[in-house]
Amino acid sequence: MKISLNEKLILYFLTLGLGAIFIISIFSFYGTKKALLNRTFDQLTSLRIVKKHQVELFFIDRVKDISILSESDDTRNMALELERFCRKINDRSTAGDREQLLSGFSVYLKKYRSLRSYFQSISFISGNKVALKGNFRDNPEIEVGTLTSSELKRFDAAAVFEGIGVGDEFIDPRTHQPTMFLSCTLGNSGNLRDDARLVLEIPVDAINTIMLNNNPESGLGQTGETYIVGSDFLMRSASRFQANSVLRTSVQTIPAIESFRQREGSVITRDYRNIPVLSSFSRISVPGLSWAILAEIDVKEAMIPIYSMRNRILFISSLIAIIFFMFVFFIAKRITRPVIELKNAAIRVGQGQYDVNLPIQTHDEIGALTESFNLMAGQIKEKTNELQQERIGRLRSVFDGEEIERQRLSRELHDGIGQYLIALKLRLESLLYSDNSRIKENIQDLKDMFDNTIDEIRRISNNLTPAVLEAFGITIALRNLCQESGEHTGITFHFNSSGKLEDIHTNLKTYLFRISQEAINNIVKHSGATSVEILLTRELSSVTLSIRDNGKGFDTKKASIGEGNGLHNMRERVDMLHGTIDINSFIEKGTTIKVVIPVF
């Protein structure tokens, strides 16, 4: 398929431009994406650190609360009341004792009702496992009873944080709701048993208040959340997306697993809902609790600015591509227009229309090319005219040469053979009137005249086609030519040769012979020379023919302007053989002709 220069320029420029736009867009998109992901991870990490600090501080404060409360006189007196009630139970206590205990506990709860901001209830546990429990409401609910063995085990298994037992979250079998507790021993002062305890119940809502944040402006958007996971990979704080998730929703994800391997960091993974999220994770440093905190946001929401940026990049890139295409189309047309004009002009020149002169529209390489083309077209026209004149001259030379050759043959036939035939005719006619005694003598004269006629015919034939050249080679042919020319003209000819001359091409032999003939004819007719030296030499890649006479010489400049057919024919033959000819002549000092013909 043929593609024009204009189309190639547009294609190349568009490929380069669109490639650059594509690369810049890709780098911009992925650079922005990376920056946004890093910023999102930084926000999640900052939020996770803040929430972690808040949780740790919450437990530190609650430990301080129960520690201070356990040392107050009211708490110890209330514990002593419970101990006395327990002893009366063993001594068959009355209903009045129970009412007195509950009444005193109600007063105690109202006095410390300010604790309800962080605690749901308070319990006193006596040595014989009797528990007195009440909440911090305006109208507190109070109950007294015996703890079950599972409850006692839970208190005994609680880890100790600065002397305070911290119990992990569990499902309260009575309320079926998650809860947790802090406990401490009240010591052995007074009549208190060594294992008397104060227990404060922490509602899960207190943890959820710290962790949950549904405000989209908080950095979590519509899908972000922070939550706590226990070492059993169950949630310890409420999920933003699933109801009743505490201690019921499993979070066995990569961030949770890595957190309990004592690692922290950020990762793109799937959350407990199997949705791709950006997650930041670490452990929570609360002695007695094996918890991890995770801050996460859906990848889809986090990538919204990226997708918006991508759409903007696509729009801007498309707009730039359209503008770039229009610009490239205009530039390509502007560049290729003079080239197309040059092409069309070259076609016209090829068709013989040499009168071409393109306007120079630019001052650059295209303008220089146009100027060179105009100059070339003018030179072609000039050279064509010269070639035409030269062709006409060559044809005239051929025709003139043929005419001269005809005239020469006519003269030779008239002056030579014609005269011999006339003499033979006259001699034969004279025999009619001669004596019989002289017949034999006359026949001998006729025989000699016939021999001379035959020799003259042979000479003319050799001049036309030298048979000796084909039979004996160029050396013998030139030597015979020199010998015959010397016999007919009286000029002394000296011929010498060297090198391997017999294997050169037949055409080269013929041309060298004709050049020698032309030179000898010119010498005989015009030079007035008495001596001629001819030297034929074969070298490795050329044959050299040198002809020198001692004639009167001539002016080579005048001869080059109006040189005769002899010199012209010699030059033509040398040019046809792709050789060189040098003619050096000095007045009264002779002429030297040197011809060098390459041999391949």
Side-chain angles (χ1 to χ4, degrees), residues 275-288:
I275 293 177
V277 295
L278 279 67
S279 178
S280 179
F281 57 89
S282 70
R283 287 286 297 271
I284 292 180
S285 301
V286 176

Side-chain angles (χ1 to χ4, degrees), residues 204-243:
V204 175
D205 289 343
I207 305 298
N208 292 337
T209 300
I210 298 174
M211 301 304 298
L212 285 179
N213 192 337
N214 294 326
N215 186 358
E217 298 180 358
S218 63
L220 291 173
Q222 300 293 332
T223 60
E225 62 175 338
T226 55
Y227 58 91
I228 298 174
V229 181
S231 57
D232 56 358
F233 299 106
L234 294 177
M235 275 193 171
R236 293 301 192 269
S237 62
S239 167
R240 185 175 181 179
F241 307 103
Q242 294 182 1

